Each structure stands twice: as C-alpha cells, then as structure tokens.
Amino acid sequence: MTVTVVSVSDTAGGAEAHTVALGHGMRERGHDVVLYGQCPGWEERGLVRREIGLGPKWSRKTMAAGILRVPLERHRTQVVADASIYYLQFKREQIALTAPLSRRAPVVWTEHGRWMGGPAGRLLLAGYARAAEHVSRVVCVGTAVARDLEPVVGRDKLVVVPNSIDTQRFAAPSAEMRATLRERLLPRHFQDRRVAILASRLHGAKRHDRAIAAALASGSALVVVGEGPDRERLKRLGAGSADVHFTGHRDDVPDLLAASDLYLYCGAETDGTPTCVLEAAAAGLPIVAFDGDPGTELVPSCGGLVIGDPSELTPDRAAGLLELRGSGLSYVEQRHGREAWLDAYEQIFGECLR
C-alpha cells in the first residue's frame, strides 16, 4: 500500500518522532511512504518528502490567520498524489484537509494528547467534529484520549494503540558501559553523584520547575536535556546551583539516560502517553512523576514513585529508588515494543481498505 502523510511541523517533539517511526517502520515492511510537508527527522531516515505549500502549524498565535487560509490549503491538496491511505495528526490538517482527501482514499488520524481547554479548544472542537464525519479511523495513544473524543467522533471510529519505543535503542547498559558513558557525558563534578535527568521539550505547560525543585530537595544532580520556549526561565531558576546542568538539544539521549540514575517526568495537561517515561524505563531508570500529570499510571509498571510536591523527594527516598533500577524493562518490551505497534497500524490501515 501507499501511505501518504500530510503534516507540517518544524518542532522536534514526540508527535514528530512518532511520525518518523511510523513512516520508517512501514517502509521497512515493504510499503511506499511519502510525506507532504515537513517533519524533523523524516529525511534523516531516508524517507521521501514533497512540498505542499501549507502555512505554519496551528497554534494560539497562528490559528486566526490559519483559519483564513483553509480554502487555499484545501485547494493545495490537489498536488498530493493518489494513495491507499492518507495519514494526518495535527489539527490544521485534520480539520481543513480531511474532507477533500477522503474523496480519494481513507483518512486515518492519530491523537497524541488530551483535548485542550479554553476558547481555542471549544473553537477547534466544532470544526473537528465536522471533519470527523469524513475520517475512517482515529488512533488514540491512550484510553483517556479516546474518552475525550468519543462524544464527537463516535466509538466505532476510535481505536487505542499505546505509544511505542525502539527498546533496542534505549536498552539498559552494562555496568562497564554505564561507567564509560558517565565519564564521557556528565560534568566532572556529577560523576560521583546521584544523577537525575529529564529529556523533554521545555515548555511552560509542563512545569519543569518541579523537576528542578525535586532534584535539589533530594540532593541529586540534574541534567536537563532539550530546547523550548521555557528554557531561559528554567535556567534562571537553576542558576544558583552547580547541581543543575542544561545540555540543550542532544541526539545522544539514549546514552545520557544510560549514564543517569533516575528520571524526573513532568507532563502538560494535554499530554497523552509520554514516550519519555517509556524510554527512561527501557534504559533501566526508575521514574519520579507528579500526581495529576498525564501518564502517571505508567509509573507503577515502569518502576518508580509518584509524588505530590517536589519536597517529597527526600534524599532517602531518592536513594531507595535506585533499588528499582531495571524493574520496568519487561513491561516496556511487552506492552510498548515497536513491532507490535507497527502490527496494529498495519492492521488498521488494512481494515480501512476493505
């Protein structure tokens, strides 16, 4: 089959990584895959990309102008070649482009997170409901995401496929390899310390200041991996401590996880199943999460602790977490491995073609 992805994003986030993994996996299984638009990491995996001329991804800042562009962008779908399946995952593409594309082939959406609130969320929901009349399947990364959508999409079109990771890429290291990675990757004054890590897009909605406060309360050093609009504020919060180290964007996240002792997860209200938690667990790390954040139901299975306030991560509790190292490995391999995830998408696409 030919799977055509229509997606425009210049942000290297979880949804984009999901798209690249799906495109690469489907190609490895012998299907033709092409992207119309832009997705960080797509061409780096040798996948085919073509231009479509859409405007920027919708956000609170771009939505008003984006809505005015809808008639033009619908017209531009004429440059998209015929396909077996059209795959969409961002609200602009779903709301604006599903109807014209569905006249040519089944359309499948993926929903990565909980529905946003406020006026913007209510405005999008009306357009989303109309567009959902033309979609064949909506793949949700978790049951909470599906519950949000059931009133406007209908249960018959919804299917839950949990996020996956490449468990081989994030495999737990041997003691010798871990020591080598710590020496190579960590600041010198971190190497004999208990090291916490977070690897995420640094956005204010995720409230990563909680991770900084928890690390300091526990007497742990903290490595912050990632970029985003909240980075400068977070750097100011950690500026008074030599125990907080910002790396910026890194391509060697699996190695940095392997060099660390525990993972601090902070999630935004609209997050779905956090792949960062799965990646950390696959690397053998115990997880510390915050009560009320999306995805915390994963923590007992992945090995770790859910706290309500950063001050609850005392030095003794942090030290006790190290005994949980590796306890999430089998869960992640069995429930969130890449091959079963690709099987599910391949089955969904096949069902849409019958």
Side-chain angles (χ1 to χ4, degrees), residues 119-150:
R122 290 191 293 272
L123 175 64
L124 283 176
L125 191 60
Y128 189 91
R130 288 192 296 272
E133 297 174 6
H134 305 282
V135 73
S136 293
R137 291 287 189 280
V138 181
V139 183
C140 303
V141 302
T143 54
V145 176
R147 284 197 300 268
D148 285 352
L149 298 179
E150 187 172 335

Side-chain angles (χ1 to χ4, degrees), residues 60-120:
R60 284 180 170 83
K61 292 181 179 179
T62 65
M63 192 180 305
I67 290 172
L68 294 175
R69 290 174 56 91
V70 166
L72 172 63
E73 296 191 339
R74 284 178 173 161
H75 179 74
R76 287 185 171 164
T77 60
Q78 294 179 11
V79 307
V80 178
D82 289 342
S84 309
I85 294 287
Y86 293 113
Y87 176 80
L88 314 176
Q89 64 173 341
F90 293 127
K91 296 298 178 288
R92 181 265 304 279
E93 289 84 350
Q94 292 169 344
I95 292 172
L97 308 183
T98 295
L101 290 173
S102 69
R103 300 185 191 110
R104 300 160 61 185
V107 176
V108 174
W109 298 347
T110 289
E111 289 301 333
H112 296 277
R114 305 295 302 274
W115 196 265
M116 68 181 73

Side-chain angles (χ1 to χ4, degrees), residues 120-281:
R122 290 191 293 272
L123 175 64
L124 283 176
L125 191 60
Y128 189 91
R130 288 192 296 272
E133 297 174 6
H134 305 282
V135 73
S136 293
R137 291 287 189 280
V138 181
V139 183
C140 303
V141 302
T143 54
V145 176
R147 284 197 300 268
D148 285 352
L149 298 179
E150 187 172 335
V152 294
V153 174
R155 183 178 300 177
D156 60 320
K157 292 185 177 182
L158 296 172
V159 58
V160 175
V161 179
N163 277 336
S164 76
I165 63 166
D166 184 346
T167 54
Q168 294 182 341
R169 183 170 180 244
F170 291 92
S174 65
E176 181 180 1
M177 176 59 72
R178 184 166 175 269
T180 299
L181 290 171
R182 287 176 72 90
E183 182 176 358
R184 177 165 62 86
L185 296 174
L186 298 182
R188 185 176 298 277
H189 62 290
F190 280 21
Q191 291 179 14
D192 295 325
R193 300 281 306 283
R194 180 174 58 244
V195 177
I197 185 172
L198 71 85
S200 173
R201 183 167 185 262
L202 304 180
H203 192 284
K206 295 179 181 289
R207 298 179 291 162
H208 286 121
D209 49 283
R210 295 175 297 168
I212 294 175
L216 296 177
S218 71
S220 304
L222 175 64
V223 175
V224 180
V225 183
E227 292 284 359
D230 202 34
R231 180 180 177 183
E232 291 307 312
R233 183 184 74 91
L234 295 172
K235 288 185 73 173
R236 289 194 297 272
L237 288 175
S241 174
D243 288 344
V244 183
H245 175 65
F246 288 79
T247 71
H249 173 75
R250 295 286 289 259
D251 293 322
D252 56 350
V253 171
D255 288 344
L256 285 162
L257 291 173
S260 302
D261 296 298
L262 60 96
Y263 190 88
L264 291 171
Y265 162 65
C266 300
E269 291 181 357
T270 56
D271 285 352
T273 302
T275 54
C276 60
V277 169
L278 303 176
E279 291 167 354

